[in-house]
Amino acid sequence: MEVTSTFWIGFNLFVLLMLALDLGVFNRKAHVVSVKEALTWSGVWICLSLVFNGLIYHWFGEAKAIEFFTGYVIEKSLSVDNIFVFVLVFKYFQIPSIYQHKILFWGILGALVMRVIFIFAGVALIEKFHWTIYLFGLFLIYTGYKMFTEKDKQIEPEKNPVIKFFRRAMPVTHELRGDKFFVVEDGKRYATPLFLVLILIETTDLIFAVDSIPAILPVTQDRFIVYTSNVFAILGLRSLYFALAHVIHRFVYLSTGLAVILLFVGLKMVLVDVIKIPTYISLIVIAVIITASIVLSLRKTRGENELESDNKM
């Protein structure tokens, strides 16, 4: 079966429906998202992803289903790295938990638009100029190397060129104004620090998109598979943030695991015309790397977690 416009329209209508339910029904009023609520929604998104994977199997067969699941695991794993940045940004700007959901909602909506652009551009380049796949591969290898050598993430908004430009273009209030992005005071329009955080989240995700989109291209260049696996990974990111924000510091080896994945995928792209690695093998390798990095991280920080628990008692 071929991917027709019906599949594209149906999937995008589903995404719009879920976003409308999220903001207009379940989170109409600003509130602090509890760990229980976040875990529940994370489970919902994972289940929806698996159900959709089953539909891919039914519609297009086993090979496409494995491609979707592998792409989803890659994008989900890489998206966890965003959570480290979210935590640092919210901490730097001292954004209360009650307002974080709204920022992430609009941030992820913008991320979806950027991912669509990158996906279609990346696939089009590879289809027209096959040699560009080697450039993508080398870029991923370089990115993986940087993740090995740059362990500590630093957030310096004052050096962000987009933030600098925006501050020159529009005045910004010194303090928050509730959950508003913009306010009018004394007849003059101001942006709030909340909007600056949104800009920072968007620009950060743009950088992550440059890394993550090429990572799925050696698995498949099927636009529908690349797009849907990315969308499901991104839609579940907000819930995952609230579920992991308080324990993300314990995943000390996760960045190392992600770096290994990028190196593996980069090598696969560079050697695509020499060695053909089946998709299911890639899935196994990626799953083993992620599992190992999480298990080793939790074992490494187990003593620290017990110490924190004792201090709270």
Side-chain angles (χ1 to χ4, degrees), residues 10-21:
F11 182 77
N12 284 302
L13 286 176
F14 162 77
V15 172
L16 291 174
L17 175 63
M18 292 303 296
L19 289 174
L21 287 173

Side-chain angles (χ1 to χ4, degrees), residues 133-134 136-138 141 265-274:
I133 198 169
Y134 306 128
F136 283 131
L138 291 173
I141 292 172
V265 175
L267 286 172
K268 184 178 178 180
M269 295 184 84
V270 171
L271 302 175
V272 65
D273 294 322
V274 179

Side-chain angles (χ1 to χ4, degrees), residues 26-91:
F26 298 110
N27 294 287
R28 184 168 52 186
K29 294 182 179 180
H31 68 286
V32 177
V33 179
S34 66
V35 174
K36 181 180 179 181
E37 180 184 351
L39 288 173
T40 300
W41 272 105
S42 293
V44 168
W45 281 116
I46 291 172
C47 287
L48 287 173
S49 304
L50 294 176
V51 169
F52 186 78
N53 198 26
L55 293 175
I56 292 290
Y57 178 86
H58 175 72
W59 291 329
F60 308 114
E62 181 181 356
K64 291 295 181 183
I66 294 176
E67 288 178 4
F68 173 87
F69 189 67
T70 305
Y72 175 74
V73 171
I74 290 174
E75 297 302 326
K76 194 73 170 177
S77 302
L78 292 175
S79 69
V80 173
D81 208 36
N82 290 37
I83 295 177
F84 287 101
V85 176
F86 294 165
V87 170
L88 292 174
V89 170
F90 289 144
K91 184 177 180 181

Side-chain angles (χ1 to χ4, degrees), residues 5 12 18 34 37 39 41 48 64 68 87 96-97 108 122 128 146 156 161 166 171 211 238 248 252 266 269 297:
S5 58
N12 284 302
M18 292 303 296
S34 66
E37 180 184 351
L39 288 173
W41 272 105
L48 287 173
K64 291 295 181 183
F68 173 87
V87 170
S97 299
I108 287 171
K128 191 166 185 177
K146 281 184 64 180
E156 298 178 309
F166 185 82
D211 297 337
R238 187 174 61 257
I248 195 69
V252 292
M269 295 184 84
S297 294

Side-chain angles (χ1 to χ4, degrees), residues 163-180:
I163 296 293
K164 284 182 177 180
F165 174 80
F166 185 82
R167 281 187 178 277
R168 287 196 296 267
M170 174 174 267
V172 180
T173 62
H174 294 292
E175 298 176 349
L176 296 176
R177 298 294 188 269
D179 66 346
K180 292 181 173 60

Side-chain angles (χ1 to χ4, degrees), residues 135-207:
L135 296 182
F136 283 131
L138 291 173
F139 176 75
L140 289 179
I141 292 172
Y142 172 71
T143 303
Y145 168 75
K146 281 184 64 180
M147 288 185 74
F148 269 124
T149 56
E150 298 177 5
K151 297 294 183 182
D152 296 326
K153 292 181 170 59
Q154 298 292 331
I155 296 296
E156 298 178 309
E158 65 279 0
K159 294 183 179 180
N160 186 299
V162 179
I163 296 293
K164 284 182 177 180
F165 174 80
F166 185 82
R167 281 187 178 277
R168 287 196 296 267
M170 174 174 267
V172 180
T173 62
H174 294 292
E175 298 176 349
L176 296 176
R177 298 294 188 269
D179 66 346
K180 292 181 173 60
F181 289 131
F182 299 96
V183 293
V184 176
E185 296 179 352
D186 298 325
K188 191 173 183 179
R189 190 173 181 82
Y190 291 83
T192 70
L194 215 64
F195 191 73
L196 290 185
V197 174
L198 177 60
I199 292 176
L200 200 57
I201 293 292
E202 293 286 14
T203 54
T204 300
D205 188 78
L206 178 63
I207 296 170

Side-chain angles (χ1 to χ4, degrees), residues 121-310:
V123 173
L125 275 173
I126 290 176
E127 287 180 347
K128 191 166 185 177
F129 307 104
H130 177 71
W131 53 268
T132 56
I133 198 169
Y134 306 128
L135 296 182
F136 283 131
L138 291 173
F139 176 75
L140 289 179
I141 292 172
Y142 172 71
T143 303
Y145 168 75
K146 281 184 64 180
M147 288 185 74
F148 269 124
T149 56
E150 298 177 5
K151 297 294 183 182
D152 296 326
K153 292 181 170 59
Q154 298 292 331
I155 296 296
E156 298 178 309
E158 65 279 0
K159 294 183 179 180
N160 186 299
V162 179
I163 296 293
K164 284 182 177 180
F165 174 80
F166 185 82
R167 281 187 178 277
R168 287 196 296 267
M170 174 174 267
V172 180
T173 62
H174 294 292
E175 298 176 349
L176 296 176
R177 298 294 188 269
D179 66 346
K180 292 181 173 60
F181 289 131
F182 299 96
V183 293
V184 176
E185 296 179 352
D186 298 325
K188 191 173 183 179
R189 190 173 181 82
Y190 291 83
T192 70
L194 215 64
F195 191 73
L196 290 185
V197 174
L198 177 60
I199 292 176
L200 200 57
I201 293 292
E202 293 286 14
T203 54
T204 300
D205 188 78
L206 178 63
I207 296 170
F208 277 112
V210 174
D211 297 337
S212 63
I213 297 304
I216 193 177
L217 294 181
V219 174
T220 178
Q221 279 100 55
D222 186 317
R223 289 178 176 85
F224 188 70
I225 300 298
V226 176
Y227 174 66
T228 53
S229 59
N230 255 272
V231 168
F232 270 113
I234 292 297
L235 288 176
L237 178 59
R238 187 174 61 257
S239 300
L240 195 62
Y241 163 77
F242 288 109
L244 298 180
H246 299 295
V247 296
I248 195 69
H249 64 279
R250 293 191 61 195
F251 297 155
V252 292
Y253 294 129
L254 184 60
S255 291
T256 302
L258 296 177
V260 173
I261 289 175
L262 290 177
L263 290 171
F264 169 73
V265 175
L267 286 172
K268 184 178 178 180
M269 295 184 84
V270 171
L271 302 175
V272 65
D273 294 322
V274 179
I275 302 174
K276 299 291 185 182
I277 302 176
T279 303
Y280 75 91
I281 295 295
S282 298
L283 176 58
I284 293 172
V285 171
I286 292 165
V288 168
I289 293 171
I290 289 298
T291 302
S293 64
I294 291 175
V295 171
L296 291 174
S297 294
L298 295 178
R299 289 185 61 183
K300 169 76 172 178
T301 59
R302 181 171 52 192
E304 298 174 13
N305 189 55
E306 291 173 354
L307 182 60
E308 289 178 4
S309 299
D310 291 340

